[in-house]
Every structure is written in structure tokens, then in C-alpha cells.
């Protein structure tokens, strides 16, 4: 049974639609988006502001119910937040009174995992994300990039099948953002997770992803599902190659 299960996509999104309604009327955010994601793929989603990218992530995480369509993880419909799905937002949302170590152990503490086991898993991830030596630091003493490393480690500590990233580097300066992108690829290779990342940066999407989904202006629909057939591991100088530039141009044309 496992061999059959491994042949089907990890995630299937089928004719997803979302309409927000209030006393002023209704607004269609997403219109019939469909795609699937294989295990261990790195997918980026790009689109202009207001195209429904964050709405899409909230549906995939189970935080928002679609108006039409459905999402399936391992063949089971996602209707609410569930085990196996981790999410990192643009703001790290750490507990300010808890140390780096204690922020990462928090999801396991909530599940009553023995503290020694929780700390062991957290320390392993602290080393993975490059924060060894900062275990006892508080969030107020960390840089923006370090805060996001903690947030990523906190999501990974539960060993999710699917990691969702909603513009996690959006508030960082350009140089820190590039560095965090390279770090994210290193972590992804080490942990072999399936990743879906929202970004408004087309160059970042091509640099990171196996595939890039281009979403149109509101209402968001899938304009292009672009395979990024660039060799891994990738390097910053790859951004200046004709192949890379050609892929970014295809995405720009699809969005505009």
C-alpha cells in the first residue's frame, strides 16, 4: 500500500475558489486554481499584491475553508489545521519571553513530549539552521534573519510532510534575503521536505524552486506552471545566465 501511496502526489489542489463576502458585497480572491505537488518538491508561488497568494497558503494549511474546490494531502481532504503541515509567516511570531531553544520546543511541549526528547530535537535543528550558541538568546536580541531561522526550526521540529512559507523573507534587506534563500535550500536538502513558498520576488522564486506557479491579478488564477530545469546546487552567479533570465521573463509575462 505504501508503494502505491508514494506514487500519488503528496498534495492535490482541485478547482480551488475563494470569495469573501461582507455587508459591502463580495470579492473573488481565487478562481478555480488546480495543481499537484510531488513529494520533496520545492514549489514557489508568485503573483502581484492582491492575487490571493496568502489566501492560498491559508487554505493549504487548513486555516481557511475554500468557497469551492478542495485540497488533499496524501489523499485526505484538508478541512482544518492538521499534523503533517508546518507553516512559517512573514513575521516570525515568536514568544518574546522564551529563549530560542524554548520557542523551538514549544510545539512539542504542547503535545506533552518529554522535555529531554523535545530539547534533543530542538538542539539538532538549532545546529541545522545555523544558530548553535544562541540557544539561550531571547527574540529581542536576534536579527530578522535569525528570527526566521528560529521560526523555520520551530515548524520543522514536528517533522511535517509539507512546509508552507508565506513570504518568510519579505521583511529582510536584499543581502540578508539572498543569504536566507541559500540557507533555506541547504535546510531543504538536509531534511528532504516538500515546500510551498509564497514570494513576490520572481528572481528568488526561480533561484529556489523546482517549479514556479504564476498567479494572475485578482481574482487569482493559475497563469503558468513553470518547470525550473536548472542544475542543483545553485549559486548566486546563476542569476545572470541566459537560462535564468529567460525563466524570469516568462514569469513576468505570465503575471502581467
Amino acid at each position: 500500500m505504501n508503494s502505491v501511496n508514494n506514487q500519488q502526489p503528496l498534495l492535490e489542489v482541485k478547482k480551488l475558489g475563494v470569495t469573501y463576502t461582507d455587508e459591502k458585497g463580495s470579492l473573488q480572491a481565487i478562481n478555480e486554481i488546480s495543481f499537484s505537488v510531488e513529494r520533496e518538491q520545492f514549489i514557489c508561488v508568485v503573483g502581484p499584491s492582491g492575487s490571493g497568494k496568502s489566501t492560498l497558503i491559508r487554505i493549504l494549511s487548513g486555516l481557511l475553508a475554500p468557497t469551492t474546490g478542495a485540497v488533499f494531502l496524501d489523499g485526505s481532504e484538508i478541512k482544518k489545521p492538521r499534523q503533517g503541515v508546518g507553516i512559517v509567516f512573514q513575521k516570525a511570531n515568536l514568544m518574546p519571553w522564551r529563549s530560542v531553544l524554548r520557542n523551538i520546543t514549544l510545539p512539542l511541549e504542547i503535545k506533552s513530549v518529554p522535555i529531554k526528547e523535545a530539547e534533543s530535537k530542538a538542539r539538532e535543528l538549532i545546529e541545522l539552521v545555523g544558530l548553535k550558541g544562541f540557544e539561550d538568546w531571547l527574540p529581542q536580541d536576534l536579527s530578522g534573519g535569525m528570527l526566521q531561522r528560529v521560526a523555520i526550526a520551530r515548524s520543522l521540529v514536528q517533522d511535517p510532510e509539507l512546509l508552507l512559507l508565506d513570504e518568510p523573507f519579505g521583511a529582510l534587506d536584499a543581502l540578508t534575503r539572498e543569504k536566507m534563500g541559500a540557507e533555506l535550500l541547504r535546510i531543504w536538502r538536509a531534511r528532504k521536505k516538500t515546500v510551498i513558498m509564497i514570494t513576490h520576488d520572481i528572481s528568488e522564486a526561480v533561484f529556489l524552486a523546482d517549479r514556479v506557479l504564476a498567479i494572475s491579478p485578482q481574482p487569482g488564477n493559475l497563469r503558468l506552471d513553470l518547470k525550473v530545469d536548472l542544475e542543483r546546487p545553485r549559486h548566486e552567479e546563476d542569476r545572470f545566465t541566459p537560462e535564468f533570465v529567460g525563466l524570469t521573463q516568462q514569469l513576468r509575462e505570465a503575471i502581467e
Side-chain angles (χ1 to χ4, degrees), residues 82-106:
R82 55 179 281 182
Q83 284 190 324
V85 180
I87 185 165
V88 177
F89 295 101
Q90 185 171 337
K91 284 191 67 176
N93 294 323
L94 304 179
M95 299 291 187
W97 59 88
R98 293 177 72 102
S99 66
V100 167
L101 178 66
R102 292 295 171 222
N103 265 289
I104 297 171
T105 60
L106 181 59

Side-chain angles (χ1 to χ4, degrees), residues 183-231:
E183 286 293 287
L184 179 58
L185 285 181
R186 180 180 62 81
I187 293 165
W188 169 68
R189 287 195 300 268
R191 283 299 170 115
K192 300 185 182 301
K193 297 299 176 187
T194 306
V195 175
I196 299 178
M197 175 174 164
I198 300 295
T199 177
H200 62 266
D201 188 318
I202 290 174
S203 177
E204 179 176 70
V206 173
F207 183 77
L208 295 175
D210 296 312
R211 288 162 55 207
V212 182
L213 308 181
I215 306 297
S216 70
Q218 194 178 83
N221 57 58
L222 184 57
R223 285 272 181 88
L224 180 64
D225 185 341
L226 181 67
K227 182 179 180 182
V228 181
D229 199 12
L230 299 175
E231 190 175 342

